[in-house]
C-alpha cells in the first residue's frame, strides 16, 4: 500500500524528533512492505524564514495532497516572543492548520505503561493502569470566539468569548461515544455547567446523543473537580470529553500520570477522517539540536497515524510495543531520567525503537 505523508518538521526540537518518527515509519514500511511517501512542507518559524509567513498556501496545498500530516511543534524562545518570526505563531500556524482542515476532534491518549510507572511524581498505586483518552474539541470555543480589547469606563478591557453551537458539540460528542465503544465504554463530560451557559448546552447535547449509544455509559464532572480527580483517581476515566480550553489544560495535567509531556502523542481529525498527528508538547528551543529531546511523543503520534489514518492496527501496536521495549531496557531521555535507567540521546532512543521494531 502507498501512503502519502506531509511532514512539517517544526521549530526547536521539532526537526530532530520528527526525523526519528519518519525513520520509525520507514522501518514499519520495510517490515510490512508499505510504501510511505514523505513530502516535506514548511509551517511555523521555518516557513517564516522561507516565505515570510507562518502558513503559506504551498504548505496547505502539500497537506491537502497528502493522506495525513505529521507535525512537529512550532514556536520560538520566550525571549524572542515579539520577533515577527514567532509573534502570533500559535494563532497563524497552529490554529490555522486546525481550522484549515476542520480538525475538530483532538484525541490525546494518556497511557501509563507499566515500564514507566515510576516516572510519575504520583504514587504508583494511583497511576498504575491508568488509561484515558481526552477527546478535546479543537476548532471552536474560546480559542476562536470573538475577542479583542475595548475601553470600558476609561480603562482597557480585554475579552475572549466562549461559544458553541449545538452542531459543534454534537459532532464531537458522537465522536467521543463512537471511540468509547472500542474502549471501556464510558464517557465523562467535563465542563462548568454550574456557571457557564455554554457548558449547560454541552450537557443538553450529551443527554440527547447518549441514548444513541445504549452500550456506553456516561457521567459528568465540573472541570475543577475533574482536575483534582485526574491526579487522585485517574483509573476511573475512560473517555473524557471536553471543550477546547478545558481539554488544553487537563491534557497537560494528565501528562503527569505518564511522567512527562514528552511521552504523549495526539491526533486531530476532521469529519472525513483526515488527520494531523503531533506531540502535545512544545518546541523546547532551550534544548533544541542537543539530542536531549524525548522523541516518544512524536513516535506515538506516528503510531496513531498508522492506526487512525491508514487502518494499520498491527503496525501501530508494534510501534507502541517497540517504545515500551526501549523503555523496558531502561533507556531514558533527560526528561524521564529521574527514576534511574540509562540516559540516552534523542537519536539513541530512536535507534532503540527502530531496533525493537525490526524484531
Ligand atoms: C496544545 C497547545 C496549543 C493549544 C498552543 C500551542 C496553541 O498548548 O496543543 O495543547 O493551546 O492548543
Ligand atoms: Mg496545550
Amino acid at each position: 500500500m502507498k501512503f502519502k505523508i506531509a511532514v512539517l518538521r517544526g521549530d526547536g526540537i521539532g526537526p530532530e524528533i520528527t526525523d526519528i518518527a519518519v525513520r520509525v515509519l520507514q522501518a514499519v514500511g520495510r517490515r510490512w512492505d508499505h510504501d510511505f511517501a514523505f513530502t516535506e512542507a514548511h509551517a511555523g518559524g521555518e516557513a517564516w524564514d522561507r516565505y515570510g509567513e507562518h502558513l503559506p498556501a504551498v504548505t496547505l496545498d502539500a497537506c491537502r495532497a497528502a493522506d495525513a500530516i505529521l507535525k512537529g511543534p512550532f514556536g520560538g524562545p520566550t525571549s524572542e516572543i515579539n520577533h515577527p518570526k514567532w509573534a502570533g505563531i500559535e494563532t497563524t500556524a497552529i490554529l490555522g492548520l486546525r481550522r484549515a482542515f476542520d480538525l475538530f476532534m483532538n484525541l490525546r491518549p494518556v497511557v501509563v505503561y507499566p515500564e514507566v510507572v515510576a516516572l510519575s511524581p504520583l504514587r504508583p498505586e494511583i497511576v498504575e493502569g491508568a488509561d484515558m483518552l481526552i477527546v478535546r474539541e479543537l476548532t471552536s470555543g474560546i480559542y476562536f470566539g470573538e475577542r479583542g480589547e475595548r475601553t470600558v469606563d476609561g480603562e482597557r478591557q480585554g475579552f475572549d468569548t466562549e461559544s458553541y453551537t449545538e452542531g459543534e458539540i454534537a459532532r464531537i460528542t458522537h465522536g467521543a461515544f463512537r471511540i468509547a465503544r472500542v474502549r471501556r465504554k464510558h464517557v465523562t463530560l467535563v465542563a462548568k455547567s454550574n456557571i457557564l451557559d455554554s457548558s449547560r448546552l454541552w450537557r443538553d447535547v450529551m443527554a440527547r446523543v447518549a441514548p444513541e449509544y445504549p452500550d456506553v455509559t456516561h457521567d459528568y464532572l465540573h472541570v475543577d473537580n475533574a482536575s483534582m480527580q485526574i491526579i487522585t483517581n485517574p483509573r476511573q476515566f475512560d473517555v473524557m470529553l471536553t471543550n477546547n480550553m478545558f481539554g488544553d489544560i487537563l491534557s497537560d495535567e494528565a501528562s503527569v500520570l505518564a511522567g512527562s509531556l514528552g511521552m504523549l502523542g495526539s491526533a486531530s481529525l476532521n469529519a472525513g477522517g483526515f488527520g494531523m498527528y503531533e506531540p502535545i508538547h512544545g518546541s523546547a528551543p532551550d534544548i533544541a539540536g542537543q539530542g536531549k529531546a524525548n522523541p516518544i511523543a512524536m513516535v506515538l503520534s506516528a503510531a496513531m497515524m498508522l492506526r487512525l489514518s491508514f487502518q494499520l492496527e498491527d503496525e501501530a501496536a508494534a510501534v507502541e510495543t517497540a517504545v515500551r521495549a526501549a523503555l523496558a531496557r531502561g533507556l531514558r531521555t533527560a526528561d524521564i531520567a529521574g527514576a534511574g535507567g540509562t540516559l540516552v540521546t534523542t537519536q539513541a532512543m530512536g535507534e532503540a525503537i527502530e531496533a525493537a521494531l525490526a524484531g
Side-chain angles (χ1 to χ4, degrees), residues 108 136 143 248-249 251-252 280:
R108 299 190 163 190
R136 170 189 176 195
Y143 274 54
D248 177 47
I249 299 167
S251 58
D252 265 36
I280 79 164

Side-chain angles (χ1 to χ4, degrees), residues 292-310:
K292 288 186 182 163
N294 186 347
I296 290 178
M298 194 77 212
V299 169
L300 292 176
S301 302
M304 294 184 83
M305 170 184 288
L306 294 172
R307 174 176 291 124
L308 299 170
S309 279
F310 306 152

Side-chain angles (χ1 to χ4, degrees), residues 24-356:
V24 167
L25 288 170
Q26 285 166 335
V28 168
R30 282 193 299 277
R31 177 162 156 196
W32 277 271
D33 205 18
H34 299 305
D35 181 4
F36 295 115
F38 300 93
T39 309
E40 193 175 346
H42 306 276
E46 55 161 10
W48 194 90
D49 284 339
R50 280 167 187 259
Y51 309 102
E53 52 181 316
H54 289 141
L55 189 58
V58 283
T59 297
L60 289 173
D61 289 344
C63 292
R64 241 174 246 123
D67 299 315
I69 307 169
L70 187 65
K71 174 191 166 297
F74 300 158
T78 19
S79 57
E80 294 172 29
I81 206 151
N82 293 321
H83 190 283
K85 175 169 176 179
W86 307 119
I89 200 169
E90 290 80 7
T91 310
T92 50
I94 303 177
L95 270 55
L97 274 165
R98 292 172 181 173
R99 227 329 134 74
F101 295 98
D102 197 19
L103 305 170
F104 69 90
M105 186 151 86
N106 184 218
L107 308 179
R108 299 190 163 190
V110 181
V111 184
V112 180
Y113 293 135
E115 293 80 6
V116 293
V117 165
L119 295 181
S120 176
L122 299 173
R123 287 200 304 277
E125 63 267 31
I126 290 178
V127 294
E128 218 147 46
D131 177 359
M132 60 188 280
L133 175 71
I134 298 180
V135 176
R136 170 189 176 195
E137 200 290 326
L138 204 60
T139 52
S140 182
I142 199 165
Y143 274 54
F144 293 91
E146 200 193 324
R147 70 189 55 222
E149 201 180 290
R150 56 196 168 202
T151 305
V152 175
D153 293 335
E155 61 171 354
R156 292 165 67 199
Q157 182 190 62
F159 67 99
D160 299 274
T161 318
E162 171 81 352
S163 55
Y164 272 101
T165 64
E166 286 180 284
E168 288 168 338
I169 301 169
R171 63 179 184 169
I172 187 95
T173 304
H174 278 288
F177 273 89
R178 275 199 297 270
I179 295 174
R181 273 194 164 151
V182 296
R183 292 180 47 99
R184 298 195 310 280
K185 299 188 170 48
H186 185 72
V187 178
T188 302
L189 172 64
V190 172
K192 188 70 184 173
S193 66
N194 51 350
I195 297 291
L196 305 177
D197 280 335
S198 56
S199 290
R200 284 192 273 272
L201 187 60
W202 277 80
R203 290 190 78 165
D204 282 355
V205 172
M206 173 97 162
R208 203 182 69 216
V209 167
E212 295 181 41
Y213 304 85
D215 50 328
V216 178
T217 54
H218 63 95
D219 60 2
Y220 170 83
L221 285 180
H222 292 317
V223 62
D224 46 351
N225 184 7
S227 75
M228 178 184 69
Q229 303 232 13
I230 283 173
I231 51 171
T232 53
N233 181 14
R235 271 191 299 263
Q236 71 181 289
F237 297 116
D238 180 17
V239 172
M240 178 180 283
L241 172 64
T242 73
N243 69 7
N244 204 340
M245 176 103 245
F246 296 156
D248 177 47
I249 299 167
L250 295 180
S251 58
D252 265 36
E253 187 197 2
S255 77
V256 168
L257 302 171
S260 165
L261 268 176
M263 300 287 293
L264 300 189
S266 79
S268 305
L269 305 172
N270 70 18
F274 181 75
M276 179 167 86
Y277 300 84
E278 60 179 321
I280 79 164
H281 60 72
S283 61
D286 52 318
I287 59 162
Q290 301 168 37
K292 288 186 182 163
N294 186 347
I296 290 178
M298 194 77 212
V299 169
L300 292 176
S301 302
M304 294 184 83
M305 170 184 288
L306 294 172
R307 174 176 291 124
L308 299 170
S309 279
F310 306 152
Q311 279 72 50
L312 300 176
E313 175 57 38
D314 291 351
E315 290 84 336
V319 171
E320 289 158 356
T321 304
V323 167
R324 291 178 59 174
L327 292 168
R329 283 174 54 197
L331 305 186
R332 300 285 184 264
T333 45
D335 60 313
I336 52 175
T342 314
L343 184 64
V344 296
T345 61
T346 311
Q347 291 70 28
M349 181 66 95
E351 280 156 23
I353 295 168
E354 269 184 76

